[in-house]
Amino acid sequence: MSKRAVILSIIFISLFSLDIEAQCAMCRAVLESEEDQSTAQGINDGIVYLMVIPYILVGGIGYIIYYKFFRTKSKA
């Protein structure tokens, strides 16, 4: 397996296998008072997605910079 496949597999597994609670205390108090918890789950998922996107962007830019500067140049 290539390094790229291993790294992508680790990222995929770590992002989608964790049960993360990302609500602040005030949001949790308001949303827990409702009978239907689907709104709370939707808010929680939105917060997690908003939190993850900057890390993905910075990681992608870092990978591109690493690839551009440190790749080995082969002779044709």
Side-chain angles (χ1 to χ4, degrees):
M1 247 165 114
S2 69
K3 283 185 180 180
R4 182 176 181 180
V6 171
I7 291 172
L8 288 175
S9 298
I10 290 170
I11 291 172
F12 182 78
I13 290 169
S14 66
L15 288 178
F16 295 108
S17 66
L18 300 175
D19 186 24
I20 300 173
E21 298 293 327
Q23 294 175 355
C24 67
M26 291 179 66
C27 296
R28 183 178 303 233
V30 170
L31 292 172
E32 282 180 351
S33 65
E34 295 180 356
E35 295 271 334
D36 185 19
Q37 292 296 312
S38 64
T39 305
Q41 188 62 36
I43 297 278
N44 192 34
D45 290 342
I47 292 169
V48 170
Y49 293 138
L50 287 172
M51 179 185 70
V52 168
I53 289 173
Y55 290 105
I56 292 172
L57 290 174
V58 169
I61 291 170
Y63 176 76
I64 291 169
I65 291 171
Y66 176 81
Y67 182 75
K68 293 280 185 186
F69 285 110
F70 296 109
R71 68 179 173 179
T72 58
K73 298 187 181 189
S74 62
K75 296 181 180 179

PDB file of all heavy atoms in Angstrom, residues 1-18:
ATOM      1  N   MET A   1       0.834  -1.178   0.000  1.00  0.00           N
ATOM      2  CA  MET A   1       0.000   0.000   0.000  1.00  0.00           C
ATOM      3  C   MET A   1       0.878   1.241   0.000  1.00  0.00           C
ATOM      4  O   MET A   1       1.902   1.283   0.662  1.00  0.00           O
ATOM      5  CB  MET A   1      -0.865   0.018   1.250  1.00  0.00           C
ATOM      6  CG  MET A   1      -2.323  -0.145   0.971  1.00  0.00           C
ATOM      7  SD  MET A   1      -3.197  -0.530   2.476  1.00  0.00           S
ATOM      8  CE  MET A   1      -4.160   0.909   2.647  1.00  0.00           C
ATOM      9  N   SER A   2       0.454   2.242  -0.714  1.00  0.00           N
ATOM     10  CA  SER A   2       1.245   3.462  -0.783  1.00  0.00           C
ATOM     11  C   SER A   2       1.032   4.302   0.473  1.00  0.00           C
ATOM     12  O   SER A   2       0.069   4.132   1.209  1.00  0.00           O
ATOM     13  CB  SER A   2       0.858   4.265  -2.024  1.00  0.00           C
ATOM     14  OG  SER A   2      -0.447   4.780  -1.873  1.00  0.00           O
ATOM     15  N   LYS A   3       1.952   5.225   0.705  1.00  0.00           N
ATOM     16  CA  LYS A   3       1.848   6.106   1.857  1.00  0.00           C
ATOM     17  C   LYS A   3       0.584   6.946   1.792  1.00  0.00           C
ATOM     18  O   LYS A   3      -0.062   7.185   2.801  1.00  0.00           O
ATOM     19  CB  LYS A   3       3.059   7.046   1.922  1.00  0.00           C
ATOM     20  CG  LYS A   3       4.305   6.420   2.430  1.00  0.00           C
ATOM     21  CD  LYS A   3       5.370   7.482   2.564  1.00  0.00           C
ATOM     22  CE  LYS A   3       6.648   6.904   3.080  1.00  0.00           C
ATOM     23  NZ  LYS A   3       7.690   7.927   3.225  1.00  0.00           N
ATOM     24  N   ARG A   4       0.250   7.361   0.584  1.00  0.00           N
ATOM     25  CA  ARG A   4      -0.927   8.207   0.415  1.00  0.00           C
ATOM     26  C   ARG A   4      -2.200   7.463   0.823  1.00  0.00           C
ATOM     27  O   ARG A   4      -3.066   8.014   1.499  1.00  0.00           O
ATOM     28  CB  ARG A   4      -1.028   8.670  -1.032  1.00  0.00           C
ATOM     29  CG  ARG A   4      -2.180   9.592  -1.282  1.00  0.00           C
ATOM     30  CD  ARG A   4      -2.182  10.086  -2.687  1.00  0.00           C
ATOM     31  NE  ARG A   4      -3.298  10.981  -2.886  1.00  0.00           N
ATOM     32  CZ  ARG A   4      -3.573  11.571  -4.004  1.00  0.00           C
ATOM     33  NH1 ARG A   4      -2.818  11.373  -5.058  1.00  0.00           N
ATOM     34  NH2 ARG A   4      -4.602  12.365  -4.110  1.00  0.00           N
ATOM     35  N   ALA A   5      -2.319   6.214   0.435  1.00  0.00           N
ATOM     36  CA  ALA A   5      -3.492   5.423   0.792  1.00  0.00           C
ATOM     37  C   ALA A   5      -3.581   5.210   2.296  1.00  0.00           C
ATOM     38  O   ALA A   5      -4.672   5.254   2.878  1.00  0.00           O
ATOM     39  CB  ALA A   5      -3.464   4.088   0.063  1.00  0.00           C
ATOM     40  N   VAL A   6      -2.439   4.984   2.932  1.00  0.00           N
ATOM     41  CA  VAL A   6      -2.424   4.782   4.379  1.00  0.00           C
ATOM     42  C   VAL A   6      -2.850   6.057   5.095  1.00  0.00           C
ATOM     43  O   VAL A   6      -3.679   6.028   6.012  1.00  0.00           O
ATOM     44  CB  VAL A   6      -1.022   4.332   4.854  1.00  0.00           C
ATOM     45  CG1 VAL A   6      -0.938   4.332   6.363  1.00  0.00           C
ATOM     46  CG2 VAL A   6      -0.694   2.964   4.297  1.00  0.00           C
ATOM     47  N   ILE A   7      -2.308   7.186   4.675  1.00  0.00           N
ATOM     48  CA  ILE A   7      -2.643   8.463   5.307  1.00  0.00           C
ATOM     49  C   ILE A   7      -4.115   8.784   5.116  1.00  0.00           C
ATOM     50  O   ILE A   7      -4.802   9.184   6.059  1.00  0.00           O
ATOM     51  CB  ILE A   7      -1.743   9.586   4.762  1.00  0.00           C
ATOM     52  CG1 ILE A   7      -0.308   9.379   5.244  1.00  0.00           C
ATOM     53  CG2 ILE A   7      -2.249  10.956   5.202  1.00  0.00           C
ATOM     54  CD1 ILE A   7       0.697  10.312   4.606  1.00  0.00           C
ATOM     55  N   LEU A   8      -4.628   8.606   3.902  1.00  0.00           N
ATOM     56  CA  LEU A   8      -6.041   8.870   3.654  1.00  0.00           C
ATOM     57  C   LEU A   8      -6.934   7.934   4.454  1.00  0.00           C
ATOM     58  O   LEU A   8      -7.983   8.341   4.954  1.00  0.00           O
ATOM     59  CB  LEU A   8      -6.350   8.768   2.162  1.00  0.00           C
ATOM     60  CG  LEU A   8      -5.814   9.900   1.297  1.00  0.00           C
ATOM     61  CD1 LEU A   8      -6.084   9.626  -0.174  1.00  0.00           C
ATOM     62  CD2 LEU A   8      -6.411  11.228   1.715  1.00  0.00           C
ATOM     63  N   SER A   9      -6.529   6.687   4.607  1.00  0.00           N
ATOM     64  CA  SER A   9      -7.306   5.734   5.398  1.00  0.00           C
ATOM     65  C   SER A   9      -7.349   6.149   6.864  1.00  0.00           C
ATOM     66  O   SER A   9      -8.405   6.097   7.503  1.00  0.00           O
ATOM     67  CB  SER A   9      -6.714   4.335   5.288  1.00  0.00           C
ATOM     68  OG  SER A   9      -6.754   3.883   3.971  1.00  0.00           O
ATOM     69  N   ILE A  10      -6.220   6.573   7.404  1.00  0.00           N
ATOM     70  CA  ILE A  10      -6.167   7.006   8.800  1.00  0.00           C
ATOM     71  C   ILE A  10      -7.054   8.225   9.010  1.00  0.00           C
ATOM     72  O   ILE A  10      -7.808   8.300   9.983  1.00  0.00           O
ATOM     73  CB  ILE A  10      -4.711   7.286   9.223  1.00  0.00           C
ATOM     74  CG1 ILE A  10      -3.939   5.976   9.305  1.00  0.00           C
ATOM     75  CG2 ILE A  10      -4.670   8.015  10.560  1.00  0.00           C
ATOM     76  CD1 ILE A  10      -2.451   6.148   9.488  1.00  0.00           C
ATOM     77  N   ILE A  11      -6.971   9.188   8.096  1.00  0.00           N
ATOM     78  CA  ILE A  11      -7.797  10.388   8.212  1.00  0.00           C
ATOM     79  C   ILE A  11      -9.277  10.031   8.128  1.00  0.00           C
ATOM     80  O   ILE A  11     -10.086  10.502   8.930  1.00  0.00           O
ATOM     81  CB  ILE A  11      -7.413  11.415   7.131  1.00  0.00           C
ATOM     82  CG1 ILE A  11      -6.026  11.992   7.420  1.00  0.00           C
ATOM     83  CG2 ILE A  11      -8.439  12.539   7.049  1.00  0.00           C
ATOM     84  CD1 ILE A  11      -5.479  12.853   6.314  1.00  0.00           C
ATOM     85  N   PHE A  12      -9.651   9.203   7.171  1.00  0.00           N
ATOM     86  CA  PHE A  12     -11.046   8.813   6.995  1.00  0.00           C
ATOM     87  C   PHE A  12     -11.583   8.102   8.228  1.00  0.00           C
ATOM     88  O   PHE A  12     -12.664   8.412   8.723  1.00  0.00           O
ATOM     89  CB  PHE A  12     -11.186   7.920   5.757  1.00  0.00           C
ATOM     90  CG  PHE A  12     -12.589   7.516   5.472  1.00  0.00           C
ATOM     91  CD1 PHE A  12     -13.456   8.395   4.870  1.00  0.00           C
ATOM     92  CD2 PHE A  12     -13.039   6.250   5.813  1.00  0.00           C
ATOM     93  CE1 PHE A  12     -14.771   8.027   4.606  1.00  0.00           C
ATOM     94  CE2 PHE A  12     -14.338   5.870   5.550  1.00  0.00           C
ATOM     95  CZ  PHE A  12     -15.206   6.764   4.949  1.00  0.00           C
ATOM     96  N   ILE A  13     -10.823   7.158   8.752  1.00  0.00           N
ATOM     97  CA  ILE A  13     -11.269   6.399   9.916  1.00  0.00           C
ATOM     98  C   ILE A  13     -11.382   7.291  11.141  1.00  0.00           C
ATOM     99  O   ILE A  13     -12.353   7.206  11.898  1.00  0.00           O
ATOM    100  CB  ILE A  13     -10.322   5.209  10.180  1.00  0.00           C
ATOM    101  CG1 ILE A  13     -10.489   4.163   9.080  1.00  0.00           C
ATOM    102  CG2 ILE A  13     -10.573   4.585  11.546  1.00  0.00           C
ATOM    103  CD1 ILE A  13      -9.431   3.088   9.086  1.00  0.00           C
ATOM    104  N   SER A  14     -10.410   8.186  11.332  1.00  0.00           N
ATOM    105  CA  SER A  14     -10.453   9.037  12.523  1.00  0.00           C
ATOM    106  C   SER A  14     -11.561  10.073  12.448  1.00  0.00           C
ATOM    107  O   SER A  14     -12.123  10.448  13.467  1.00  0.00           O
ATOM    108  CB  SER A  14      -9.105   9.721  12.743  1.00  0.00           C
ATOM    109  OG  SER A  14      -8.843  10.621  11.686  1.00  0.00           O
ATOM    110  N   LEU A  15     -11.911  10.527  11.263  1.00  0.00           N
ATOM    111  CA  LEU A  15     -12.968  11.526  11.150  1.00  0.00           C
ATOM    112  C   LEU A  15     -14.361  10.940  11.301  1.00  0.00           C
ATOM    113  O   LEU A  15     -15.251  11.580  11.860  1.00  0.00           O
ATOM    114  CB  LEU A  15     -12.873  12.252   9.799  1.00  0.00           C
ATOM    115  CG  LEU A  15     -11.727  13.223   9.630  1.00  0.00           C
ATOM    116  CD1 LEU A  15     -11.755  13.822   8.229  1.00  0.00           C
ATOM    117  CD2 LEU A  15     -11.798  14.331  10.661  1.00  0.00           C
ATOM    118  N   PHE A  16     -14.577   9.742  10.804  1.00  0.00           N
ATOM    119  CA  PHE A  16     -15.920   9.208  10.757  1.00  0.00           C
ATOM    120  C   PHE A  16     -16.207   8.140  11.797  1.00  0.00           C
ATOM    121  O   PHE A  16     -17.314   7.628  11.851  1.00  0.00           O
ATOM    122  CB  PHE A  16     -16.213   8.673   9.357  1.00  0.00           C
ATOM    123  CG  PHE A  16     -16.229   9.765   8.329  1.00  0.00           C
ATOM    124  CD1 PHE A  16     -15.211   9.878   7.413  1.00  0.00           C
ATOM    125  CD2 PHE A  16     -17.247  10.696   8.309  1.00  0.00           C
ATOM    126  CE1 PHE A  16     -15.212  10.886   6.473  1.00  0.00           C
ATOM    127  CE2 PHE A  16     -17.258  11.714   7.378  1.00  0.00           C
ATOM    128  CZ  PHE A  16     -16.241  11.813   6.457  1.00  0.00           C
ATOM    129  N   SER A  17     -15.265   7.792  12.641  1.00  0.00           N
ATOM    130  CA  SER A  17     -15.525   6.766  13.631  1.00  0.00           C
ATOM    131  C   SER A  17     -15.656   7.325  15.042  1.00  0.00           C
ATOM    132  O   SER A  17     -15.973   6.597  15.961  1.00  0.00           O
ATOM    133  CB  SER A  17     -14.417   5.718  13.606  1.00  0.00           C
ATOM    134  OG  SER A  17     -13.206   6.294  14.016  1.00  0.00           O
ATOM    135  N   LEU A  18     -15.426   8.605  15.213  1.00  0.00           N
ATOM    136  CA  LEU A  18     -15.503   9.200  16.535  1.00  0.00           C
ATOM    137  C   LEU A  18     -16.894   9.762  16.801  1.00  0.00           C
ATOM    138  O   LEU A  18     -17.513  10.359  15.931  1.00  0.00           O
ATOM    139  CB  LEU A  18     -14.478  10.326  16.662  1.00  0.00           C
ATOM    140  CG  LEU A  18     -13.023   9.928  16.481  1.00  0.00           C
ATOM    141  CD1 LEU A  18     -12.142  11.159  16.512  1.00  0.00           C
ATOM    142  CD2 LEU A  18     -12.595   8.958  17.549  1.00  0.00           C
TER     143      LEU A  18
END
